[in-house]
Amino acid sequence: MKIAMIGTGYVGLVSGVCFSDFGHEVICVDKNQEKLTKLRAGETPIFEPGLDTLMARNIAANRLSFTDDLKSATQDADAVFIAVGTPSRRGDGHADLSFVFGAVKEVAEALTRPTVIVIKSTVPVGTNQKVADLLKETRPDLDCDVVSNPEFLREGAAIDDFMHPDRVVVGVQSDRGDEVMQEVYRPLSLRGYPVLTTDLETAEMIKYAANAFLATKVTFINEIAMLCERTGADVKDVANGMGFDSRIGPKFLQAGPGYGGSCFPKDTKALARIGQDNAVPLQIVETVIKVNEEVKRLMIDKIVDLCDEKLRDKTIAVLGLTFKPDTDDMRDAPALTVVPALVGMGANVRVVDPQAFREADALLPNVTWFEDAYEAVDGADAVVLLTEWNEFRALDLRDMAGRMASARMADLRNMYSCDYALDAGFEAYTGMGRKSALLFDS
Ligand SMILES: NC(=O)c1ccc[n+]([C@@H]2O[C@H](COP(=O)([O-])OP(=O)(O)OC[C@H]3O[C@@H](n4cnc5c(N)ncnc54)[C@H](O)[C@@H]3O)[C@@H](O)[C@H]2O)c1
């Protein structure tokens, strides 16, 4: 099959590369010339494990190419995927659909024959129907089909998620749309992965409901963590005890500094707006959004408490900036709340992250970058573990404590424990929802 992928960001690039690996002929389109230059040189503009190898293999096999020429890319395509961004609209939290409608209009104007237009971007319920209306209005001479195909991949595990999905969701309004999508995903359905076919509105809703549910799970355990701190329970054991229950499951039950990333924050806000617009306020989702903001702010309080409420001129080393490991994506990362607050309170902030520099340098002014965690803590007054990158999971805490001016740790991902840190020579430790040892406690 011939596929055109409009938008070569996280989702468009990973989907395009994986489709080409299925054997489809894929042309990826983007407007960003810097991105295209890299892609044409065989470089991936994002950090995603395994992506560069898979991309190289399919470019070499002549199944994958990159262009800014949307017209030629879409002309012979059996399916045109739209995978452009749908960020939060400034001010009101609605999904900004200008990129989607802009891309659809460009595609409609470029087409020379009817084709299937597949919306892969996360869009509010009713958007695919508006896309169908826009296509009819722009090209009354063409009978195009619209399909909703929301994407569920996770950054950091995107290739694996795409190649081994829990499910593929396809919302259709015509037999032709359905047939083309069955063909696109045949390599997955042949191997037994479920391809769930629904109507357009249901497919759109599945994506938002799934993300909001996961954000709720994360926020629930974060709130339980706060209660554990007050009551002496240990949230890690609580999460384990809950997660062994097959009705609950262990995933998304790790207490941490609040959810971030390119999807949960904007998708929960958009879903809350959809609820309000339809006179069905989603109180749970609205509360989750509010609690998550509070959780991020509580992380700042934790660090302030750790440093005896005096941050001015203290040196604080922050390990990890991205919203989760194995990505360089900084969108809505808790670090963007925590680090500026520390800087604002007069701390000298040193930061270390294996991949964030390209994205985070401009977003986090007035910090000092280090490549090595041990060098970053040299002479520091506190260390904050903010992202659970593998290289931070087995640090030599004794070595670290020995280098620090005062060995204090805020372990916001529960990678270590109070006893472990104190045994290694730390004088103060605070985690998430479990035993801590603060100096003014004693
Ligand atoms: N990032 C994720 O983990 C993830 C997961 C699932 C779903 N999604 C959804 O997928 C969609 C895309 O997200 P993303 O993170 O890949 O976005 P992104 O911002 O990384 O990439 C979007 C790309 O589209 C390009 N673009 C915009 N308008 C264009 C046009 N008219 N023609 C050609 N290119 C154009 C931009 O230059 C950019 O490269 C969003 O709706 C998002 O919610 C994202």
Side-chain angles (χ1 to χ4, degrees):
M1 296 206 91
K2 290 188 173 175
I3 292 177
M5 182 67 65
I6 315 299
T8 312
Y10 274 87
V11 165
L13 180 58
V14 171
S15 308
V17 168
C18 291
F19 281 147
S20 68
D21 206 58
F22 290 170
H24 300 315
E25 201 179 304
V26 181
I27 306 181
C28 293
V29 183
D30 211 289
K31 284 177 181 301
N32 183 323
Q33 293 303 330
E34 203 184 322
K35 223 175 236 189
L36 284 174
T37 307
K38 280 197 171 159
L39 288 164
R40 288 191 184 118
E43 284 173 44
T44 53
I46 53 169
F47 173 74
E48 184 59 46
L51 184 60
D52 44 1
T53 315
L54 207 61
M55 195 172 106
R57 181 161 87 203
N58 287 288
I59 293 173
N62 283 326
R63 287 192 295 258
L64 178 65
S65 58
F66 303 96
T67 183
D68 58 358
D69 184 354
L70 184 139
K71 197 171 169 67
S72 70
T74 51
Q75 244 158 30
D76 295 329
D78 300 301
V80 177
F81 281 74
I82 311 274
V84 298
T86 48
S88 273
R89 201 161 68 189
R90 272 180 100 89
D92 65 8
H94 270 294
D96 178 352
L97 296 174
S98 57
F99 298 106
V100 172
F101 290 130
V104 169
K105 204 153 195 308
E106 281 178 62
V107 171
E109 281 159 0
L111 287 177
T112 52
R113 63 180 176 91
T115 188
V116 175
I117 313 286
V118 188
I119 305 298
K120 208 167 217 345
S121 302
T122 303
V123 292
V125 183
T127 306
N128 276 268
Q129 188 51 53
K130 286 186 187 152
V131 166
D133 296 344
L134 178 62
L135 281 165
K136 273 205 190 84
E137 186 189 309
T138 316
R139 291 299 300 271
D141 55 318
L142 293 183
D143 192 13
C144 289
D145 296 83
V146 174
V147 170
S148 165
N149 175 218
E151 182 50 56
F152 298 92
L153 61 78
R154 292 163 301 165
E155 289 177 15
I159 304 286
D160 200 45
D161 283 350
F162 200 93
M163 295 296 200
H164 309 282
D166 290 335
R167 78 314 207 177
V168 172
V169 172
V170 175
V172 297
Q173 54 170 191
S174 66
D175 289 345
R176 187 168 65 125
D178 191 14
E179 281 156 21
V180 167
M181 293 309 281
Q182 296 305 329
E183 204 52 40
V184 168
Y185 282 108
R186 186 176 306 284
L188 291 180
S189 55
L190 274 176
R191 282 185 280 151
Y193 295 106
V195 177
L196 175 68
T197 306
T198 69
D199 55 34
L200 295 179
E201 291 74 18
T202 305
E204 293 167 327
M205 186 64 94
I206 288 170
K207 174 65 191 173
Y208 278 109
N211 269 2
F213 191 82
L214 293 173
T216 303
K217 208 172 169 190
V218 172
T219 307
F220 181 82
I221 201 67
N222 282 339
E223 230 180 14
I224 293 292
M226 301 307 155
L227 189 56
C228 285
E229 280 178 18
R230 288 294 165 91
T231 54
D234 183 312
V235 77
K236 257 193 137 161
D237 291 338
V238 171
N240 276 340
M242 288 170 65
F244 281 125
D245 186 327
S246 58
R247 294 167 302 176
I248 299 173
K251 292 182 180 164
F252 286 79
L253 278 185
Q254 286 77 38
Y259 62 76
S262 67
C263 292
F264 286 4
K266 79 172 176 63
D267 291 349
T268 45
K269 281 184 205 146
L271 183 58
R273 293 310 304 223
I274 297 168
Q276 287 160 10
D277 289 352
N278 286 279
V280 184
L282 299 176
Q283 297 177 55
I284 294 174
V285 179
E286 288 180 12
T287 305
V288 164
I289 295 166
K290 193 167 137 275
V291 172
N292 192 57
E293 285 309 309
E294 281 165 19
V295 169
K296 287 198 247 173
R297 280 196 297 276
L298 273 166
M299 299 305 104
I300 301 163
D301 296 346
K302 268 183 180 293
I303 299 164
V304 170
D305 287 350
L306 183 74
C307 297
D308 302 337
E309 302 189 348
K310 293 180 220 93
L311 254 61
R312 180 150 303 281
D313 299 327
K314 291 266 167 69
T315 298
I316 300 181
V318 176
L319 308 189
L321 296 172
T322 50
F323 78 101
K324 65 173 176 179
D326 293 326
T327 181
D328 55 358
D329 202 336
M330 282 298 296
R331 286 179 279 188
D332 273 313
L336 297 178
T337 305
V338 173
V339 172
L342 302 181
V343 172
M345 283 185 269
N348 304 312
V349 181
R350 300 170 174 179
V351 296
V352 186
D353 189 286
Q355 292 293 336
F357 181 75
R358 193 175 48 188
E359 293 275 319
D361 186 34
L363 299 171
L364 295 175
N366 306 317
V367 300
T368 313
W369 285 82
F370 280 73
E371 292 208 343
D372 178 72
Y374 296 93
E375 282 173 23
V377 301
D378 230 15
D381 298 289
V383 58
V384 177
L385 295 172
L386 203 47
T387 314
E388 68 279 37
W389 283 94
N390 261 341
E391 43 264 78
F392 303 146
R393 285 181 198 275
L395 292 166
D396 182 343
L397 294 196
R398 188 162 294 284
D399 183 351
M400 289 198 127
R403 291 164 180 259
M404 295 177 72
S406 72
R408 302 176 189 209
M409 177 187 289
D411 178 8
L412 306 182
R413 298 284 182 176
N414 286 340
M415 283 188 274
Y416 300 96
S417 70
C418 187
D419 292 346
Y420 189 89
L422 297 187
D423 281 354
F426 274 81
E427 60 189 43
Y429 173 94
T430 182
M432 280 296 296
R434 48 204 319 232
K435 186 175 149 191
S436 64
L438 297 177
L439 289 180
F440 65 77
D441 271 355
S442 50

